[in-house]
Amino acid sequence: MSILLDQSSRVIVQGITGREGQFHTKNMLAAGTTLVGGVTPGKGGAEVEGVPVFDTVAQAKKETGANASCIFVPPAGAADAIMEAADAGIRLIVCITETIPVLDMARAMRFVKEKQVRLIGPNCPGLCTPGVGKIGIIPYSIFREGHVGFISRSGTLTYEVVSLLTTAGIGQSTCVGIGGDPIIGSTFTDCLHLFEHDEQTYAVVMCGEIGGSDEEDAAEYIKEMSKPVVGFISGRTAPPGKRMGHAGAIISGSTGTAQGKVAALQGAGVPVADTIFDIPDLLRQAAGKKL
């Protein structure tokens, strides 16, 4: 098994006729993803990379049996796209779009919670299950099938660390980029809970960054986990007051600091790497012969 994406996943792309939608549709198909259709209002009846385009998510779900969606809709319409997918009964929504207005995102979050739909992102690279496929913009070629779950707020950090793991001969069960915005759907704790109950996952790597309190919240859950977790916190050398790339990477007073996050993880028994190059060795030490 794996988390979130498996052989039963049937994916549609909202915004499939746009430049990004078309480009990443082609790449998702090449990765083996069961991509069954796309949605662009007013473009129903067209085709992109051989998959049919529908005017609404409800039509796409009815005709294709879709149960997951990847969103490439521009920021002004992305929150509405999330809510349309949730309202149509799509169970997994991965939103790649960044710079969605915060108030729009707050409205969408309340809606998806009411519908009990799982949202990954926004402002995320998506997710990947090696051997099954990917949803989003993650480069599939860097992955290798295995037993390490991976979660990160940063897309670029995801690619760098996954590449290091693969080069070190450590494969991955599922990789999830949860996004770097102030309001995101699934948190570190949500994903850790899924990995804890996934038979294919033997250990987890969690890459956090400065800002917010998601890593500290995850540390409390890790105390209850049976599987080893290795951590890394980026932004340790960020100058005080410096605006960082992610909207969620904002330190408020004494909360959200790298030092506080490292201390919280270490207090939960998590080995925290000083650099990403230390992660493979820490992982082998934590998981022993299982990897």
Side-chain angles (χ1 to χ4, degrees):
M1 290 294 292
S2 56
I3 70 167
L4 300 171
L5 177 65
D6 57 31
Q7 300 291 357
S8 69
S9 300
R10 297 177 63 81
V11 182
I12 58 171
V13 173
Q14 291 174 255
I16 192 170
T17 57
R19 184 185 62 181
E20 299 300 322
Q22 292 186 48
F23 178 78
H24 291 291
T25 291
K26 183 178 182 179
N27 288 342
M28 282 188 272
L29 287 167
T33 308
T34 305
L35 203 161
V36 296
V39 175
T40 298
K43 298 287 183 68
E47 282 191 356
V48 172
E49 298 295 334
V51 300
V53 179
F54 301 90
D55 288 317
T56 69
V57 177
Q59 291 173 352
K61 185 176 187 300
K62 180 181 179 181
E63 297 295 327
T64 67
N67 53 19
S69 177
C70 186
I71 294 179
F72 289 100
V73 174
D80 285 340
I82 291 171
M83 291 187 286
E84 182 188 356
D87 194 47
I90 299 295
R91 306 311 302 168
L92 171 65
I93 302 170
V94 180
C95 185
I96 308 302
T97 310
E98 60 179 316
T99 65
I100 298 176
V102 174
L103 291 179
D104 288 359
M105 199 54 224
R107 182 165 51 92
M109 273 301 299
R110 185 173 65 180
F111 192 80
V112 297
K113 286 182 178 178
E114 289 175 355
K115 295 291 184 180
Q116 297 184 326
V117 170
R118 182 172 297 281
L119 171 65
I120 304 295
N123 190 12
C124 77
L127 57 96
C128 177
T129 295
V132 175
K134 68 169 187 171
I135 302 177
I137 63 175
I138 292 178
Y140 188 72
S141 61
I142 64 175
F143 289 88
R144 165 183 177 149
E145 290 184 59
H147 300 286
V148 171
F150 185 89
I151 323 166
S152 176
R153 286 169 65 183
S154 164
T156 304
L157 195 58
T158 297
Y159 312 152
E160 292 182 351
V161 177
V162 167
S163 181
L164 281 173
L165 294 177
T166 296
T167 301
I170 300 173
Q172 306 88 41
S173 56
T174 300
C175 167
V176 187
I178 61 174
D181 273 5
I183 300 177
I184 57 172
S186 296
T187 64
F188 279 124
T189 301
D190 295 330
C191 295
L192 287 168
H193 179 78
L194 294 175
F195 281 128
E196 172 70 0
H197 295 87
D198 175 39
E199 293 180 356
Q200 188 180 338
T201 300
Y202 298 164
V204 181
V205 174
M206 187 186 111
C207 289
E209 62 187 18
I210 59 172
S213 61
D214 199 18
E215 291 82 354
E216 288 89 335
D217 296 339
E220 290 300 309
Y221 177 73
I222 290 171
K223 295 176 183 176
E224 305 171 9
M225 290 181 64
S226 63
K227 298 177 181 179
V229 178
V230 168
F232 175 76
I233 301 296
S234 65
R236 293 194 195 192
T237 59
K242 174 74 174 178
R243 181 187 292 273
M244 305 303 291
H246 280 168
I250 298 173
I251 297 174
S252 301
S254 60
T255 63
T257 64
Q259 293 77 11
K261 292 175 186 293
V262 170
L265 290 172
Q266 290 176 333
V270 175
V272 181
D274 290 328
T275 76
I276 60 173
F277 302 102
D278 300 326
I279 292 175
D281 286 342
L282 287 179
L283 196 54
R284 285 199 171 96
Q285 292 171 22
K289 295 181 179 179
K290 284 189 172 183
L291 297 181

